[in-house]
Amino acid sequence: MKILIVHLLRLGDIILSAPVISGLKEKYPNAELHFLAFKGFSQVEELFKESIHWHWIDRDGLQEALKDADRPFFHAQDRLEHGLRPLREYKFDRVYNLTQNKMSGWVCNYIEGGETTGLHFDNRAQARFGSPWFQYLNDHVAAGRGEVF
């Protein structure tokens, strides 16, 4: 089994995902665990004892491409897709999006993993969550009902 964790936020959020990693290793002891994050946080690899295959998105390079008026309009998107293409070949059985933002949802959709938990988009660009709990949290906050906890 191959599992991918997508975490495209801040360094502290990646560190706080340690219990998720431990829980997945406990639940699926023979799983091959992969983690996708922004390249600027690559030093985090040293903090995790678990055997993890790390993958990185060059966020700074994407931002530079977006602001460069001399580059083609879709250059940044093409660059991102090119960087993610090898991940598609892994054919992940499970994908966990811990980020819950539009970019991470699109990334999960592009990678085309098996069962996806967390925000991702279907082929009609409709948001899906792969979990009734994530769906509840999203609907609760979107309806203006305040924080759940």
Side-chain angles (χ1 to χ4, degrees):
M1 173 180 282
K2 294 179 187 161
I3 299 172
L4 174 66
I5 297 171
V6 176
H7 213 316
L8 302 180
L9 282 178
R10 298 164 297 268
L11 178 60
D13 297 306
I14 296 170
I15 294 167
L16 290 172
S17 67
V20 173
I21 293 168
S22 298
L24 288 171
K25 283 303 240 181
E26 186 177 312
K27 186 171 183 176
Y28 307 105
N30 297 321
E32 186 177 300
L33 194 59
H34 295 253
F35 201 105
L36 176 65
F38 288 128
K39 186 178 180 181
F41 304 135
S42 61
Q43 70 271 21
V44 79
E45 286 185 52
E46 299 171 18
L47 298 176
F48 289 89
K49 293 180 176 145
E50 292 87 354
S51 176
I52 301 171
H53 301 273
W54 294 91
H55 306 277
W56 306 106
I57 292 176
D58 182 12
R59 178 176 152 179
D60 294 337
L62 293 175
Q63 289 177 328
E64 285 295 318
L66 286 168
K67 74 176 189 178
D68 188 353
D70 294 330
R71 297 205 187 186
F73 187 73
F74 289 111
H75 177 75
Q77 181 176 347
D78 292 342
R79 185 175 175 163
L80 178 60
E81 287 178 4
H82 178 74
L84 293 174
R85 199 167 294 130
L87 289 175
R88 294 178 86 162
E89 296 172 13
Y90 281 101
K91 301 192 184 323
F92 293 104
D93 300 292
R94 294 180 183 271
V95 176
Y96 294 92
N97 181 2
L98 301 182
T99 311
Q100 304 299 93
N101 65 28
K102 198 175 213 179
M103 181 179 181
S104 66
W106 183 88
V107 164
C108 289
N109 185 55
Y110 182 79
I111 291 172
E112 296 180 344
E115 182 181 327
T116 302
T117 301
L119 177 64
H120 59 284
F121 298 100
D122 65 17
N123 292 334
R124 294 181 29 203
Q126 299 295 309
R128 299 287 178 241
F129 296 92
S131 159
W133 177 239
F134 276 124
Q135 183 71 52
Y136 170 76
L137 289 173
N138 187 70
D139 293 345
H140 186 84
V141 174
R145 295 186 204 128
E147 295 296 323
V148 175
F149 302 104

